[in-house]
Amino acid sequence: MKKDLLTLQDITYDDLLEIFRRTKELKENRGNSDYKPLAGKSIGMIFAKSSTRTRVSFEVGVYELGGNPMYLDESRMQIGRGETVADTANVLSRYLHGIVIRTYSHEGVEELARVATIPVINALTDEYHPCQILADLYTILEYSGKIEGIKLVFYGDAQSNIANSLILAAKLTGLNLVFAAPEEFKPRADLIGDAKNITWESDPVKASEGADYMYSDVFVSMGFEDGREFRLEKLMPYQMTMDMIRVAKDNVKVLHCLPAHRGEEIAADVMDSEYSIVFDQAENRLHVQKAVLSLLVK
Ligand code: CP
Ligand code: NVA
């Protein structure tokens, strides 16, 4: 039966280990590999929102695995003119071997996956961004040698797709996840459930004490621009600054899913500091997604 990756709930801890084993091999052998599991296969990549990293890393990844990546601008597809999600899923399943999709509605992606007979990979919805978080976890593993018990503090909009996916990641791995966020943007209790390793703290400096990793996402996610003023007013105190670095562990590392907005969710001196590993993190998108594609696309 085909498998999808819509959220981290679609994978078990064993799946995660397998993805990371494959990621390591693919990363080490990049450029001198004749491993082409996608030879003769086409992957449709539907984008309704902007992208730099996701689009490029998926296109390059599919190419490197021997497949044919097809970028599909959703506004130029008939779905943008009223064709149903189900009809689109049925038709694309007759041509393609996998679908990567970035759009607004998570429910829409669930429907696409339900009807499609080929694997569907979520490349970001309003609610979840699993590919990003897989790359983040892999980066932590590379730097720390483990994930369980590592303290990661996330600053800002604790209801963003990144934050929601981090919650699922912490439940899967035992990551010690602390959200530094105001009441208005505190993490979703329904997602956290009774997990003891996920906490919320409204004082960002206090939250940062002893942190191994500090992580931020934009204050205004794609599709949430209407609330920009309110968001900035509430979230600016949660900008990642040197004040937080000072109380974190000496060897703290700074993560950011990117794109970064220096002076909003991250101070410029933090973004450009020796603590920042954001480009290693971004690079890992490529390797992790190649692993996911090689495991899901048959
Ligand atoms: N982090 C991330 O998904 O970046 P893009 O929006 O550029 O794809
Ligand atoms: N939360 C951000 C992530 C960008 C990669 C957004 O949805 O815009």
Side-chain angles (χ1 to χ4, degrees):
M1 208 177 82
K2 67 126 179 176
K3 273 193 82 174
D4 305 304
L5 176 61
L6 305 191
T7 75
L8 293 181
Q9 278 162 333
D10 289 328
I11 59 175
T12 63
Y13 189 68
D14 282 347
D15 293 335
L16 187 72
L17 296 182
E18 193 178 358
I19 292 169
F20 288 168
R21 262 195 307 274
R22 182 80 54 104
T23 301
K24 186 164 187 285
E25 279 166 23
L26 289 163
K27 186 168 180 175
E28 283 170 1
N29 294 315
R30 187 177 178 210
N32 62 1
S33 170
D34 53 12
Y35 177 62
K36 304 287 175 200
L38 298 190
K41 298 189 161 66
S42 295
I43 307 297
M45 305 183 1
I46 304 173
F47 279 76
K49 289 179 173 176
S50 302
S51 173
T52 298
R53 279 144 291 272
T54 307
R55 175 180 176 178
V56 176
S57 56
F58 264 112
E59 282 203 37
V60 170
V62 171
Y63 168 77
E64 289 185 1
L65 293 174
N68 171 36
M70 298 182 64
Y71 178 77
L72 303 164
D73 176 347
E74 197 193 74
S75 68
R76 295 283 166 182
M77 294 174 73
Q78 298 293 6
I79 203 169
R81 299 180 60 250
E83 186 167 21
T84 67
V85 170
D87 289 352
T88 306
N90 271 315
V91 169
L92 293 182
S93 295
R94 303 289 179 109
Y95 303 136
L96 300 169
H97 301 85
I99 298 173
V100 170
I101 179 162
R102 166 169 289 199
T103 190
Y104 295 85
S105 158
H106 190 74
E107 291 71 30
V109 173
E110 286 174 337
E111 186 185 354
L112 183 79
R114 237 185 342 264
V115 179
T117 56
I118 54 177
V120 174
I121 299 175
N122 175 7
L124 181 148
T125 61
D126 286 348
E127 284 181 71
Y128 298 101
H129 196 1
C131 295
Q132 177 67 53
I133 272 53
L134 286 176
D136 303 342
L137 293 176
Y138 189 75
T139 307
I140 291 172
L141 199 55
E142 281 187 321
Y143 273 89
S144 300
K146 63 172 188 168
I147 297 171
E148 188 176 0
I150 292 288
K151 177 171 177 178
L152 183 147
V153 184
F154 178 90
Y155 302 83
D157 177 5
Q159 297 167 0
S160 77
N161 39 23
I162 297 289
N164 291 342
S165 292
L166 279 172
I167 292 173
L168 300 184
K171 289 169 89 164
L172 194 60
T173 62
L175 180 74
N176 172 10
L177 176 61
V178 179
F179 286 103
E183 172 77 33
E184 293 80 356
F185 293 95
K186 68 181 182 192
R188 274 175 50 181
D190 63 310
L191 280 184
I192 296 176
D194 57 7
K196 299 280 176 291
N197 56 322
I198 305 170
T199 52
W200 167 55
E201 165 61 57
S202 60
D203 177 340
V205 176
K206 199 166 158 215
S208 312
E209 287 168 7
D212 295 293
Y213 291 85
M214 297 168 48
Y215 191 157
S216 195
D217 179 15
V218 294
F219 285 162
V220 186
S221 286
M222 293 179 280
F224 295 82
E225 291 80 4
D226 281 354
R228 181 175 171 80
E229 234 169 89
F230 179 71
R231 286 172 165 270
L232 291 187
E233 184 197 319
K234 295 291 172 195
L235 295 171
M236 277 309 284
Y238 296 87
Q239 180 185 91
M240 284 201 297
T241 66
M242 280 295 172
D243 288 342
M244 295 153 195
I245 300 252
R246 272 188 278 277
V247 302
K249 288 227 175 93
D250 288 346
N251 62 346
V252 67
K253 303 277 182 276
V254 170
L255 298 167
H256 192 306
C257 53
L258 306 179
H261 297 81
R262 290 171 175 77
E264 287 188 17
E265 75 281 357
I266 186 166
D269 57 351
V270 171
M271 174 74 187
D272 302 318
S273 71
E274 72 209 79
Y275 302 102
S276 169
I277 56 167
V278 300
F279 300 117
D280 290 340
Q281 179 188 5
E283 180 190 325
N284 281 334
R285 293 289 305 277
L286 171 68
H287 309 302
V288 165
Q289 288 161 192
K290 281 172 71 178
V292 169
L293 285 163
S294 74
L295 290 165
L296 293 189
V297 179
K298 305 288 175 209

